[in-house]
Amino acid sequence: MDEAFVKAFSEVVREQISKKSEVKLKGLGVFKAKHCKQLQQQHEDGRVVMLPPRDIITFIPDSSKSYD
Amino acid sequence: MIDEEILAKLIADKTELSRKEAQAKLDELAASILKTVNAGETFSVEHFGIFKKEKDTAVFLPDEILQKEINQKYAGYQPIELVGSFKETAEALSVEAIQRPEESKPEGKKPLQELPQNDSKAESEPNKVLADSDISEGQTDKELAPQTEDVENEEAEYYYAYDEESGTKRVILIIAAIIAVLLLAGWLMYSMGVFSVDKTQKLASKNNISAALNDDTVQEADVLENSDNISLKVDEDNEALNESPFGLKGVVQPEGKNGYTIIIHSFWRENKALEVFSAVKQKGYRTMMIKANVDGRRYWRIGIGQFETIGDALQTAKTLPEPYKSNNFIKHQ
């Protein structure tokens, strides 16, 4: 695979996701940005930790294709 | 949504490829990823992520660089440990915490200051440029986490303090109400004459007080000489004729007509005067009812005793019980 192409591909997708746009790749699926709110998490030892909010990239595979 | 056409165009702009060539390469990339994933293997794209199969579905695991770039808005945010969060609430309810609420605030901010030091420098460098551009946004968001905690604690303190204040206020109100009720009951009993030994005396004094308010003894004393139509109502029971003509107690004697009497009551209404006349007479005094006119107004006076001289009358008046002792004047019969 062409390195330049792959590099350009990843850069484009990163930029678009950062702008909160959805990127659809035919035959594969959709890349989306998802926002997670801050939440409290309690550990077993009783400690409570506040996780900060964050944005993550998610991938939803194309359901029409079967993955056997 | 960015579809294949726009994606191809963007890639073509970045590289020397044409749009058609970029489109073709994209299809080729998608097909190779699918094929690899179907085979159960992982397909890795440099600086992007890994595609692999998990439980019959394709899964994408983003690269760390990609994650950082996507999360650049919250770069620098670290998890905050709520130090003794459950313990702190119990302490927040204590008296000391309420009196010194400012001390609890710095505790929440300390972990935020300390933890970033543990962050590895390698991670921060590639995102340095991007993070700097969003410092203002990041800073405002950083305040979110500690603020929520402080607000909750402050609210808990506030609610507890409010409850305490309302409780003490309620107690004070109840005590004040009880005192007011007791005072009212005491005044009622005093006015009813519960505290006095002789009930009739109290009633008489009450009447006398009202009479004293109604009549002007000073004026009447000055107007004695000018009063007209003075009539004398003498007790018709002349049983004790052997009594001396002068005295305080007993029955009114006709011989004592030209003497002096002590006026203890003065009424506008005759009915009232008659009531008091019989009451005073029952006590054993030589009682007489005298009609008088002062400045065109009729008064009904109750006089007790028959005295030869004014001096005798005055001396006897001093021996009278209150309120007669201090509320009387001497009148010639």
Side-chain angles (χ1 to χ4, degrees):
Chain A
M1 201 47 70
D2 194 3
E3 273 190 28
F5 167 77
V6 170
K7 192 180 175 185
F9 166 77
S10 64
E11 279 179 12
V12 165
V13 174
R14 270 179 7 211
E15 283 171 13
Q16 294 306 317
I17 299 295
S18 300
K19 294 173 189 174
K20 303 286 193 275
S21 303
E22 295 177 10
V23 177
K24 187 181 176 184
L25 203 59
K26 190 180 176 182
L28 207 58
V30 181
F31 295 93
K32 281 185 188 177
K34 184 183 169 187
H35 175 74
C36 296
K37 296 177 184 177
Q38 66 179 13
L39 58 97
Q40 284 187 6
Q41 203 176 52
Q42 188 167 15
H43 294 267
E44 289 177 355
D45 53 359
R47 289 185 304 133
V48 179
V49 175
M50 178 75 82
L51 298 174
R54 59 198 176 111
D55 291 330
I56 56 173
I57 182 167
T58 56
F59 171 70
I60 300 164
D62 196 1
S63 58
S64 61
K65 298 288 176 185
S66 60
Y67 297 93
D68 294 330
Chain B
M1 176 154 338
I2 307 293
D3 60 358
E4 289 83 14
E5 287 181 17
I6 301 166
L7 194 61
K9 186 201 168 209
L10 289 166
I11 291 168
D13 292 339
K14 274 193 179 279
T15 60
E16 293 175 354
L17 298 165
S18 67
R19 200 183 289 187
K20 281 185 181 178
E21 285 173 348
Q23 183 80 52
K25 290 225 179 225
L26 269 171
D27 294 337
E28 193 184 330
L29 177 65
S32 60
I33 290 169
L34 259 176
K35 191 179 173 185
T36 313
V37 168
N38 282 338
E41 294 173 1
T42 60
F43 189 97
S44 173
V45 180
E46 197 179 353
H47 303 305
F48 193 68
I50 296 164
F51 293 89
K52 66 176 187 180
K53 188 177 174 182
E54 265 188 26
K55 293 181 184 177
D56 298 335
T57 54
V59 168
F60 173 68
L61 304 171
D63 196 32
E64 207 169 332
I65 293 167
L66 177 65
Q67 277 184 345
K68 291 276 180 184
E69 198 166 322
I70 300 300
N71 195 39
Q72 64 179 351
K73 190 178 173 184
Y74 305 103
Y77 278 57
Q78 296 293 331
I80 299 168
E81 184 174 340
L82 305 178
V83 180
S85 59
F86 295 104
K87 287 181 188 176
E88 268 187 357
T89 53
E91 284 177 1
L93 291 174
S94 70
V95 177
E96 289 179 358
I98 289 165
Q99 290 176 352
R100 293 173 288 175
E102 292 176 6
E103 288 182 5
S104 63
K105 282 182 185 177
E107 287 177 6
K109 285 185 182 175
K110 269 180 188 174
L112 188 62
Q113 292 170 2
E114 287 174 4
L115 283 169
Q117 291 174 4
N118 296 330
D119 191 12
S120 61
K121 292 177 184 177
E123 289 178 0
S124 62
E125 279 175 4
N127 296 327
K128 199 176 177 181
V129 176
L130 292 162
D132 286 343
S133 63
D134 292 326
I135 281 170
S136 60
E137 269 188 19
Q139 279 180 352
T140 55
D141 287 334
K142 274 179 189 176
E143 293 171 359
L144 280 173
Q147 261 185 5
T148 51
E149 179 205 357
D150 288 335
V151 165
E152 284 173 6
N153 284 338
E154 283 176 6
E155 280 179 359
E157 290 173 6
Y158 173 76
Y159 281 127
Y160 186 76
Y162 178 74
D163 285 337
E164 205 182 0
E165 277 183 22
S166 71
T168 52
K169 275 184 185 173
R170 232 180 267 167
V171 169
I172 289 164
L173 278 170
I174 288 164
I175 290 166
I178 289 166
I179 289 166
V181 165
L182 286 170
L183 284 170
L184 187 69
W187 181 82
L188 279 170
M189 280 156 66
Y190 175 79
S191 65
M192 294 284 284
V194 172
F195 293 114
S196 69
V197 177
D198 191 356
K199 209 169 185 178
T200 53
Q201 258 188 4
K202 213 65 184 171
L203 284 169
S205 73
K206 194 180 173 185
N207 292 334
N208 193 36
I209 287 160
S210 63
L213 288 168
N214 288 336
D215 78 287
D216 193 348
T217 53
V218 176
Q219 277 187 3
E220 283 190 17
D222 292 335
V223 177
L224 271 174
E225 294 174 357
N226 299 328
S227 58
D228 299 327
N229 297 327
I230 295 168
S231 66
L232 184 67
K233 183 179 178 181
V234 178
D235 188 12
E236 292 178 359
D237 293 339
N238 289 324
E239 294 172 359
L241 291 170
N242 53 355
E243 282 189 15
S244 69
F246 300 111
L248 177 66
K249 301 237 175 174
V251 181
V252 173
Q253 303 296 323
E255 291 82 9
K257 266 187 196 179
N258 294 322
Y260 296 90
T261 187
I262 305 169
I263 304 294
I264 57 167
H265 286 291
S266 187
F267 298 105
W268 291 335
R269 291 183 295 158
E270 191 178 357
N271 296 339
K272 192 75 180 175
L274 284 167
E275 276 177 31
V276 175
F277 169 80
S278 55
V280 172
K281 190 188 164 205
Q282 278 175 8
K283 290 180 190 174
Y285 294 109
R286 297 190 192 192
T287 317
M288 59 193 85
M289 200 154 115
I290 304 166
K291 190 166 71 173
N293 262 327
V294 180
D295 288 341
R297 189 129 196 200
R298 184 180 293 175
Y299 287 92
W300 296 95
R301 292 171 178 167
I302 309 296
I304 54 171
Q306 292 174 296
F307 304 97
E308 198 174 0
T309 61
I310 293 173
D312 290 340
L314 282 168
Q315 265 190 345
T316 312
K318 287 176 189 175
T319 64
L320 288 174
E322 290 287 359
Y324 305 142
K325 186 180 173 185
S326 49
N327 283 313
N328 65 75
F329 61 92
I330 311 302
K331 175 92 175 50
H332 189 259
Q333 288 181 9

